[in-house]
Amino acid sequence: MISMDKALLRQLLLIERPWEVRDYRLDVRKRRCDVWIGQAPERGWFGRPKAAPAGEVAVWQHLAIGPIRFHLHVTQPLGFESKGVGWMGETGMPFTRALAARVFALFGEGVPLQSVCALLDLSLQDVWRYRYALDTGRAGGAEPEPARPTEPPPPAAASAEPAPAGCAVPDVTDPVWLRLLDGDLSLDIKVLSLKLMLTKLRSQLDLIHDEEVRLLKLKELHRYFVKNERVLTHELDQLRLV
Amino acid sequence: MNASRTPPARPVSGALMDLQDTLVAIRSGAYLSIAADEALLRRLPPGNWLAGSIPYFMAQDGGETSRQKLFVTELPNHAGAPQLRWYDVGNLHKVALDAPAHGLTVLIVPAFSEVHSRFAREAPAFEDMYMKPLVGWIAGVHLDDLGRAAPVVVNGQTLVFSNDRALAIHIPLPESIYPRIDILNLFQPGRGDEIRFPSTGFSAQECFVNGQLMNLAQYLEQKSIDTRLPLVADYSGAMINVSFKAVDAAAGRVDFYAPVFDDVAYRIAEPVPDYAQAFGRSLPGDALGASWSCNCILNYLYGELEGQRTGPITGPMTFGEIAFQLLNQTMVYVNLEQL
């Protein structure tokens, strides 16, 4: 196995003491590095380490470095509060907060799920799990992400679907979308998919309190209108009169 | 077998035909959606078709139960070859993602399978669901065979049969054609109590009736509710049913043919006196040219539709209908509209 300095690895992953890299396994062929992280044990007399405290192990995928995907196996002391730590994630979630923030930002730009997977080299299963958690209010939006100079921005082609010139769909910043989602504005809807989608989004919005995730839902509705503009003339006529 | 035999004229949404005519249709190379009893499906040659098992139909001459005939619908093929793809519980959530950017997907799911359960509970949350047109149906069996035979889904290109995977055909369409999916639900929510459920699932014990927690089975018994009438929910103007499967008053448990959702308010439907007439009367004019349709076996049974017609639309009478998500006691149809 290729050998690497654990202290260097800790610094590359922006992990601060008292956390330390206990072990790692790099598989270049699979472009995957598993890293085991825990808190450094307290030292007793003569520098002898005390027994490591009991803890739970969580595994999250973290931001990649170059082509190598990182999976962090973190032993957290019982009751440890990890909020705000970018290289850790929420319980039950597949990604660290830093990676989740990156995925969330792409969702916010309207990048399709499969493109998110391709851009960030993630499994569809994991991204869908994260998306499902967002939709059901069990995950929040982006948290501040630590600077990672090695990561290139996503290509322009993958950004949100812009409304074409002459588009009858109100801009995504128009307050009409939030009114529609909140149920404050009612439309006479003829298209079945819109009836079902609007019901789903309204129901999700009841559970979502994170403003950024709510904005994501709003963009989803807007994307639906842009994609289906030609068959939504009855509904768009009503939006224009608001 | 007479390969040069010409099939008779048939409704756009498909026709019930004998094996010989089906073979002719398959050999024409057309892409077909087929519904028939499993034994008959096993006699079909390879070709561009997908199928599900069911022996109940709304045929061109009226409702019919048959193990000797097949219901065949020709699928559009205007913009590149349609693609057949299997889905299991692991990749089912990709079904809408895999659909062409502009097209139509027809999905057949075997009843009682895990993939059926997963689709019923989670389809509304699948990525790109509602963005792309998706219809389909739940394959079943003759009611005499319940518990003895498993519903099957078949890929006609490979002749692979499955009772635990769903099969989709993703059909690309030109930008000038819009596949408008619509439903015809005879049921309207009644003026009775509002019923909500504490959790999503195919069965329920507790529910909230006008906000008050009670046992659903006891409630249905106390109110002498006719459980042939479904629960109906209003989805922004679309009436969506959940049909009762069984009520076990002793165990205090009620089973459904589709899941009840914890974020939806339901009401017991108003009775429908004559299903056949109601279908004919309620069908909007623009539905008459529907290119694909299916209806529910419960409508067939409760409405006593055998021998009766429900207007000009034909199709299999299935164990569940799909218009983006799983439906019960509802006719689903697709119109290919020129934009």
Side-chain angles (χ1 to χ4, degrees):
Chain A
M1 191 179 83
I2 299 165
S3 167
M4 188 167 27
D5 184 338
K6 289 179 187 171
L8 173 63
L9 189 54
R10 182 178 63 77
Q11 289 186 354
L12 285 173
L13 294 171
L14 301 178
I15 295 168
E16 293 179 353
R17 292 194 183 283
W19 298 93
E20 64 179 13
V21 172
R22 291 180 176 166
D23 198 3
Y24 68 90
R25 187 165 61 226
L26 175 63
D27 188 329
V28 176
R29 194 176 56 83
K30 291 182 178 169
R31 295 184 293 121
R32 174 181 174 126
C33 185
D34 286 271
V35 183
W36 283 264
I37 298 164
Q39 287 194 341
E42 285 183 48
R43 300 275 166 181
W45 288 101
F46 311 113
R48 291 163 69 96
K50 290 182 178 175
E56 292 175 338
V57 179
V59 184
W60 297 291
Q61 186 170 350
H62 192 39
L63 294 167
I65 298 179
I68 306 294
R69 288 172 283 115
F70 278 76
H71 294 259
L72 310 186
H73 304 245
V74 183
T75 304
Q76 303 173 80
L78 293 175
F80 177 76
E81 177 56 68
S82 73
K83 193 168 171 55
V85 181
W87 54 270
M88 288 193 193
E90 306 294 340
T91 306
M93 288 294 100
F95 307 133
T96 61
R97 292 189 182 88
L99 180 54
R102 186 70 57 89
V103 173
F104 186 85
L106 292 175
F107 282 157
E109 292 299 316
V111 180
L113 198 126
Q114 277 178 315
S115 302
V116 171
C117 297
L119 285 167
L120 299 179
D121 195 13
L122 303 175
S123 86
L124 184 60
Q125 192 83 21
D126 285 345
V127 178
W128 190 73
R129 214 168 106 211
Y130 175 60
R131 179 62 185 250
Y132 187 78
L134 287 175
D135 288 348
T136 50
R138 287 185 286 121
E143 283 194 28
E145 184 184 334
R148 290 291 288 268
T150 55
E151 297 293 333
S159 64
E161 191 174 343
C167 176
V169 181
D171 189 76
V172 70
T173 56
D174 195 308
V176 77
W177 299 112
L178 192 56
R179 289 186 60 201
L180 193 54
L181 271 186
D182 275 345
D184 174 39
L185 174 64
S186 299
L187 296 183
D188 175 48
I189 301 173
K190 289 188 171 173
V191 178
L192 177 67
S193 55
L194 179 56
K195 291 176 185 175
L196 299 176
M197 183 174 191
L198 193 57
T199 304
K200 179 193 82 165
L201 291 177
R202 282 176 174 168
S203 162
Q204 288 176 341
L205 220 62
D206 285 344
L207 299 172
I208 296 168
H209 303 293
D210 185 301
E211 281 308 314
E212 294 199 61
V213 184
R214 290 169 74 89
L215 183 62
L216 192 69
K217 297 286 111 187
L218 193 143
K219 287 179 176 174
E220 198 176 323
L221 181 64
H222 181 261
R223 185 164 76 93
Y224 172 90
F225 269 82
V226 170
K227 183 176 187 308
N228 295 287
E229 180 189 347
R230 291 192 300 169
V231 294
L232 293 170
T233 48
H234 176 70
E235 292 77 7
L236 284 167
D237 284 349
Q238 295 170 71
L239 283 185
R240 270 193 293 272
L241 292 175
V242 173
Chain B
M1 265 183 257
N2 181 2
S4 64
R5 187 172 157 181
T6 308
R10 47 192 193 231
V12 188
S13 56
L16 194 62
M17 55 181 75
D18 61 20
L19 182 61
Q20 297 304 319
D21 283 341
T22 306
L23 295 177
V24 172
I26 289 174
R27 286 176 185 140
S28 75
Y31 282 82
L32 307 172
S33 171
I34 299 176
D37 191 71
E38 179 182 349
L40 213 45
L41 294 176
R42 290 198 177 273
R43 297 173 63 185
L44 297 180
N48 292 323
W49 54 273
L50 79 166
S53 56
I54 198 79
Y56 304 99
F57 313 100
M58 181 50 61
Q60 53 276 29
D61 299 322
E64 189 171 337
T65 305
S66 173
R67 292 181 193 257
Q68 279 76 47
K69 294 180 186 172
L70 305 96
F71 192 91
V72 180
T73 307
E74 184 168 344
L75 299 169
N77 183 11
H78 304 295
Q83 301 288 324
L84 279 85
R85 191 167 295 175
W86 288 107
Y87 291 92
D88 58 23
V89 287
N91 68 347
L92 185 65
H93 63 275
K94 288 174 61 182
V95 65
L97 273 175
D98 290 343
H102 190 82
L104 171 69
T105 293
V106 179
L107 179 71
I108 308 180
V109 182
F112 319 130
S113 60
E114 201 181 334
V115 76
H116 175 202
S117 170
R118 173 72 61 93
F119 184 86
R121 283 182 285 113
E122 297 180 6
F126 288 171
E127 187 73 9
D128 265 7
M129 184 58 76
Y130 310 122
M131 290 281 183
K132 299 170 181 173
L134 185 150
V135 292
W137 55 283
I138 308 299
V141 293
H142 194 290
L143 296 179
D144 292 347
D145 296 339
L146 273 177
R148 285 185 288 148
V152 293
V153 172
V154 195
N155 181 334
Q157 291 178 333
T158 58
L159 294 185
V160 169
F161 285 59
S162 177
N163 57 24
D164 61 2
R165 287 183 297 167
L167 182 64
I169 184 163
H170 297 298
I171 307 164
L173 291 171
E175 292 278 344
S176 56
I177 295 179
Y178 168 63
R180 190 168 64 77
I181 297 173
D182 223 326
I183 58 175
L184 176 52
N185 182 1
L186 300 183
F187 298 98
Q188 290 291 319
R191 279 169 288 180
D193 299 322
E194 181 193 87
I195 302 172
R196 286 179 173 270
F197 294 90
S199 56
T200 296
F202 276 91
S203 65
Q205 293 194 309
E206 308 303 321
C207 67
F208 295 98
V209 177
N210 298 328
Q212 196 178 346
L213 186 66
M214 57 179 70
N215 180 273
L216 179 62
Q218 286 171 5
Y219 169 79
L220 295 172
E221 196 173 61
Q222 282 163 12
K223 293 271 182 177
S224 302
I225 303 276
D226 178 358
T227 52
R228 291 175 302 175
L229 299 173
L231 291 165
V232 186
D234 183 346
Y235 281 58
S236 306
M239 297 303 151
I240 304 296
N241 302 336
V242 174
S243 303
F244 291 100
K245 185 179 182 185
V247 180
D248 185 338
R253 175 189 159 113
V254 177
D255 293 320
F256 307 102
Y257 283 106
V260 288
F261 289 96
D262 61 4
D263 55 355
V264 173
Y266 298 89
R267 283 190 156 80
I268 303 287
E270 290 283 359
V272 174
D274 185 323
Y275 283 51
Q277 263 193 19
F279 271 118
R281 223 178 23 239
S282 310
L283 211 54
D286 60 358
L288 302 182
S291 301
W292 183 95
S293 179
C294 68
N295 204 331
C296 181
I297 189 169
L298 297 179
N299 283 339
Y300 185 83
L301 296 173
Y302 299 160
E304 299 174 344
L305 294 179
E306 186 149 337
Q308 297 201 67
R309 296 192 68 194
T310 53
I313 295 187
T314 54
M317 307 298 287
T318 71
F319 277 33
E321 306 75 64
I322 296 170
F324 302 99
Q325 60 193 58
L326 182 64
L327 308 173
N328 287 160
Q329 283 177 269
T330 302
M331 176 195 280
V332 176
Y333 59 93
V334 182
N335 261 320
L336 297 179
E337 292 183 350
Q338 289 287 338
L339 289 178

mmCIF file of all heavy atoms in Angstrom, chain A residues 16 23 27 32 51 67 75 106-107 124 139 141 165 170 175 182-183 191 207 226 232 236-237:
data_model
loop_
_atom_site.group_PDB
_atom_site.id
_atom_site.type_symbol
_atom_site.label_atom_id
_atom_site.label_comp_id
_atom_site.label_asym_id
_atom_site.label_seq_id
_atom_site.Cartn_x
_atom_site.Cartn_y
_atom_site.Cartn_z
ATOM 1 N N GLU A 16 -9.038 19.330 12.569
ATOM 2 C CA GLU A 16 -8.269 20.009 13.617
ATOM 3 C C GLU A 16 -8.203 19.168 14.877
ATOM 4 O O GLU A 16 -9.101 18.380 15.158
ATOM 5 C CB GLU A 16 -8.910 21.374 13.904
ATOM 6 C CG GLU A 16 -8.780 22.310 12.708
ATOM 7 C CD GLU A 16 -9.421 23.662 12.957
ATOM 8 O OE1 GLU A 16 -10.074 23.823 14.007
ATOM 9 O OE2 GLU A 16 -9.252 24.537 12.100
ATOM 10 N N ASP A 23 -6.048 5.848 11.061
ATOM 11 C CA ASP A 23 -5.627 4.883 10.055
ATOM 12 C C ASP A 23 -6.221 5.310 8.710
ATOM 13 O O ASP A 23 -7.148 6.137 8.672
ATOM 14 C CB ASP A 23 -6.135 3.473 10.424
ATOM 15 C CG ASP A 23 -5.371 2.385 9.688
ATOM 16 O OD1 ASP A 23 -4.427 2.734 8.956
ATOM 17 O OD2 ASP A 23 -5.740 1.211 9.835
ATOM 18 N N ASP A 27 -6.926 2.979 -1.953
ATOM 19 C CA ASP A 27 -6.980 2.033 -3.066
ATOM 20 C C ASP A 27 -6.991 2.862 -4.354
ATOM 21 O O ASP A 27 -8.042 3.390 -4.763
ATOM 22 C CB ASP A 27 -8.255 1.175 -2.949
ATOM 23 C CG ASP A 27 -8.282 0.048 -3.971
ATOM 24 O OD1 ASP A 27 -7.710 0.246 -5.062
ATOM 25 O OD2 ASP A 27 -8.884 -0.999 -3.680
ATOM 26 N N ARG A 32 -10.257 5.401 -4.236
ATOM 27 C CA ARG A 32 -10.990 5.544 -2.991
ATOM 28 C C ARG A 32 -10.020 5.493 -1.817
ATOM 29 O O ARG A 32 -9.112 4.654 -1.784
ATOM 30 C CB ARG A 32 -12.001 4.412 -2.866
ATOM 31 C CG ARG A 32 -12.734 4.383 -1.529
ATOM 32 C CD ARG A 32 -13.716 3.231 -1.446
ATOM 33 N NE ARG A 32 -14.279 3.176 -0.087
ATOM 34 C CZ ARG A 32 -15.561 3.184 0.202
ATOM 35 N NH1 ARG A 32 -16.446 3.246 -0.759
ATOM 36 N NH2 ARG A 32 -15.973 3.136 1.462
ATOM 37 N N ALA A 51 -7.450 5.008 28.279
ATOM 38 C CA ALA A 51 -8.336 4.227 27.399
ATOM 39 C C ALA A 51 -9.220 5.183 26.605
ATOM 40 O O ALA A 51 -9.713 6.182 27.145
ATOM 41 C CB ALA A 51 -9.196 3.289 28.231
ATOM 42 N N PRO A 67 -8.838 13.009 -8.093
ATOM 43 C CA PRO A 67 -9.754 11.933 -8.506
ATOM 44 C C PRO A 67 -10.077 10.969 -7.370
ATOM 45 O O PRO A 67 -10.805 10.004 -7.581
ATOM 46 C CB PRO A 67 -8.956 11.226 -9.599
ATOM 47 C CG PRO A 67 -7.527 11.417 -9.197
ATOM 48 C CD PRO A 67 -7.445 12.729 -8.484
ATOM 49 N N THR A 75 -15.147 8.105 14.696
ATOM 50 C CA THR A 75 -15.603 7.646 16.010
ATOM 51 C C THR A 75 -15.880 8.883 16.861
ATOM 52 O O THR A 75 -14.966 9.635 17.195
ATOM 53 C CB THR A 75 -14.524 6.775 16.683
ATOM 54 O OG1 THR A 75 -14.207 5.701 15.807
ATOM 55 C CG2 THR A 75 -15.025 6.229 18.004
ATOM 56 N N LEU A 106 -25.397 22.686 -6.208
ATOM 57 C CA LEU A 106 -25.707 22.257 -7.584
ATOM 58 C C LEU A 106 -27.212 22.077 -7.765
ATOM 59 O O LEU A 106 -27.767 22.452 -8.794
ATOM 60 C CB LEU A 106 -24.955 20.964 -7.916
ATOM 61 C CG LEU A 106 -23.427 21.100 -8.021
ATOM 62 C CD1 LEU A 106 -22.777 19.745 -8.231
ATOM 63 C CD2 LEU A 106 -23.051 22.033 -9.165
ATOM 64 N N PHE A 107 -27.885 21.510 -6.742
ATOM 65 C CA PHE A 107 -29.355 21.408 -6.810
ATOM 66 C C PHE A 107 -29.961 22.799 -6.993
ATOM 67 O O PHE A 107 -30.878 23.006 -7.772
ATOM 68 C CB PHE A 107 -29.924 20.794 -5.532
ATOM 69 C CG PHE A 107 -29.790 19.298 -5.438
ATOM 70 C CD1 PHE A 107 -29.814 18.665 -4.203
ATOM 71 C CD2 PHE A 107 -29.659 18.513 -6.567
ATOM 72 C CE1 PHE A 107 -29.707 17.293 -4.096
ATOM 73 C CE2 PHE A 107 -29.550 17.134 -6.474
ATOM 74 C CZ PHE A 107 -29.578 16.522 -5.242
ATOM 75 N N LEU A 124 -25.565 7.510 -7.366
ATOM 76 C CA LEU A 124 -26.934 8.026 -7.499
ATOM 77 C C LEU A 124 -27.745 7.697 -6.252
ATOM 78 O O LEU A 124 -28.554 8.494 -5.781
ATOM 79 C CB LEU A 124 -27.575 7.427 -8.751
ATOM 80 C CG LEU A 124 -28.968 7.918 -9.092
ATOM 81 C CD1 LEU A 124 -28.967 9.417 -9.324
ATOM 82 C CD2 LEU A 124 -29.497 7.215 -10.328
ATOM 83 N N ALA A 139 -33.215 17.068 6.301
ATOM 84 C CA ALA A 139 -31.870 17.622 6.122
ATOM 85 C C ALA A 139 -32.018 19.084 5.750
ATOM 86 O O ALA A 139 -32.995 19.482 5.124
ATOM 87 C CB ALA A 139 -31.115 16.868 5.024
ATOM 88 N N GLY A 141 -30.145 22.853 4.275
ATOM 89 C CA GLY A 141 -29.426 23.253 3.083
ATOM 90 C C GLY A 141 -27.945 23.380 3.356
ATOM 91 O O GLY A 141 -27.383 22.676 4.183
ATOM 92 N N ALA A 165 -35.447 33.365 -24.100
ATOM 93 C CA ALA A 165 -35.969 34.690 -24.420
ATOM 94 C C ALA A 165 -37.419 34.557 -24.880
ATOM 95 O O ALA A 165 -37.770 33.618 -25.587
ATOM 96 C CB ALA A 165 -35.114 35.306 -25.520
ATOM 97 N N PRO A 170 -42.881 33.516 -15.422
ATOM 98 C CA PRO A 170 -42.270 34.560 -14.604
ATOM 99 C C PRO A 170 -40.903 34.124 -14.084
ATOM 100 O O PRO A 170 -40.665 32.933 -13.881
ATOM 101 C CB PRO A 170 -43.260 34.729 -13.453
ATOM 102 C CG PRO A 170 -44.553 34.197 -13.964
ATOM 103 C CD PRO A 170 -44.198 33.122 -14.940
ATOM 104 N N PRO A 175 -42.289 36.867 -6.769
ATOM 105 C CA PRO A 175 -42.954 36.387 -5.543
ATOM 106 C C PRO A 175 -44.129 35.445 -5.815
ATOM 107 O O PRO A 175 -44.606 34.758 -4.910
ATOM 108 C CB PRO A 175 -43.462 37.668 -4.865
ATOM 109 C CG PRO A 175 -42.880 38.803 -5.603
ATOM 110 C CD PRO A 175 -42.309 38.328 -6.888
ATOM 111 N N ASP A 182 -47.101 28.379 -1.206
ATOM 112 C CA ASP A 182 -47.692 28.549 0.130
ATOM 113 C C ASP A 182 -49.190 28.270 0.139
ATOM 114 O O ASP A 182 -49.802 28.149 1.185
ATOM 115 C CB ASP A 182 -47.470 29.988 0.624
ATOM 116 C CG ASP A 182 -46.114 30.132 1.281
ATOM 117 O OD1 ASP A 182 -45.517 29.093 1.597
ATOM 118 O OD2 ASP A 182 -45.660 31.283 1.457
ATOM 119 N N GLY A 183 -49.789 28.226 -1.044
ATOM 120 C CA GLY A 183 -51.233 28.036 -1.120
ATOM 121 C C GLY A 183 -51.982 29.354 -1.025
ATOM 122 O O GLY A 183 -53.211 29.397 -1.024
ATOM 123 N N VAL A 191 -53.639 20.661 -16.061
ATOM 124 C CA VAL A 191 -52.633 19.629 -16.349
ATOM 125 C C VAL A 191 -52.437 18.744 -15.106
ATOM 126 O O VAL A 191 -52.102 19.239 -14.033
ATOM 127 C CB VAL A 191 -51.306 20.291 -16.776
ATOM 128 C CG1 VAL A 191 -50.233 19.257 -17.031
ATOM 129 C CG2 VAL A 191 -51.534 21.148 -18.015
ATOM 130 N N LEU A 207 -43.135 20.644 5.823
ATOM 131 C CA LEU A 207 -42.146 19.992 6.679
ATOM 132 C C LEU A 207 -40.801 20.700 6.674
ATOM 133 O O LEU A 207 -39.969 20.468 7.541
ATOM 134 C CB LEU A 207 -41.923 18.547 6.210
ATOM 135 C CG LEU A 207 -43.125 17.609 6.229
ATOM 136 C CD1 LEU A 207 -42.778 16.297 5.550
ATOM 137 C CD2 LEU A 207 -43.557 17.359 7.667
ATOM 138 N N VAL A 226 -40.958 26.015 -16.757
ATOM 139 C CA VAL A 226 -40.121 26.303 -17.937
ATOM 140 C C VAL A 226 -40.152 25.121 -18.893
ATOM 141 O O VAL A 226 -40.314 25.274 -20.103
ATOM 142 C CB VAL A 226 -38.669 26.634 -17.501
ATOM 143 C CG1 VAL A 226 -37.737 26.699 -18.714
ATOM 144 C CG2 VAL A 226 -38.634 27.946 -16.735
ATOM 145 N N LEU A 232 -48.863 24.798 -20.649
ATOM 146 C CA LEU A 232 -49.381 25.436 -19.433
ATOM 147 C C LEU A 232 -49.939 26.826 -19.719
ATOM 148 O O LEU A 232 -49.943 27.693 -18.845
ATOM 149 C CB LEU A 232 -48.266 25.535 -18.377
ATOM 150 C CG LEU A 232 -47.767 24.204 -17.814
ATOM 151 C CD1 LEU A 232 -46.506 24.411 -16.973
ATOM 152 C CD2 LEU A 232 -48.850 23.537 -16.953
ATOM 153 N N LEU A 236 -50.454 29.716 -17.028
ATOM 154 C CA LEU A 236 -49.580 30.896 -17.113
ATOM 155 C C LEU A 236 -50.385 32.173 -17.337
ATOM 156 O O LEU A 236 -50.025 33.240 -16.841
ATOM 157 C CB LEU A 236 -48.553 30.700 -18.235
ATOM 158 C CG LEU A 236 -47.413 29.742 -17.874
ATOM 159 C CD1 LEU A 236 -46.614 29.337 -19.110
ATOM 160 C CD2 LEU A 236 -46.486 30.369 -16.847
ATOM 161 N N ASP A 237 -51.489 32.057 -18.062
ATOM 162 C CA ASP A 237 -52.358 33.231 -18.249
ATOM 163 C C ASP A 237 -52.848 33.737 -16.895
ATOM 164 O O ASP A 237 -52.934 34.943 -16.656
ATOM 165 C CB ASP A 237 -53.566 32.866 -19.121
ATOM 166 C CG ASP A 237 -53.187 32.755 -20.591
ATOM 167 O OD1 ASP A 237 -52.063 33.167 -20.939
ATOM 168 O OD2 ASP A 237 -54.003 32.230 -21.374
#
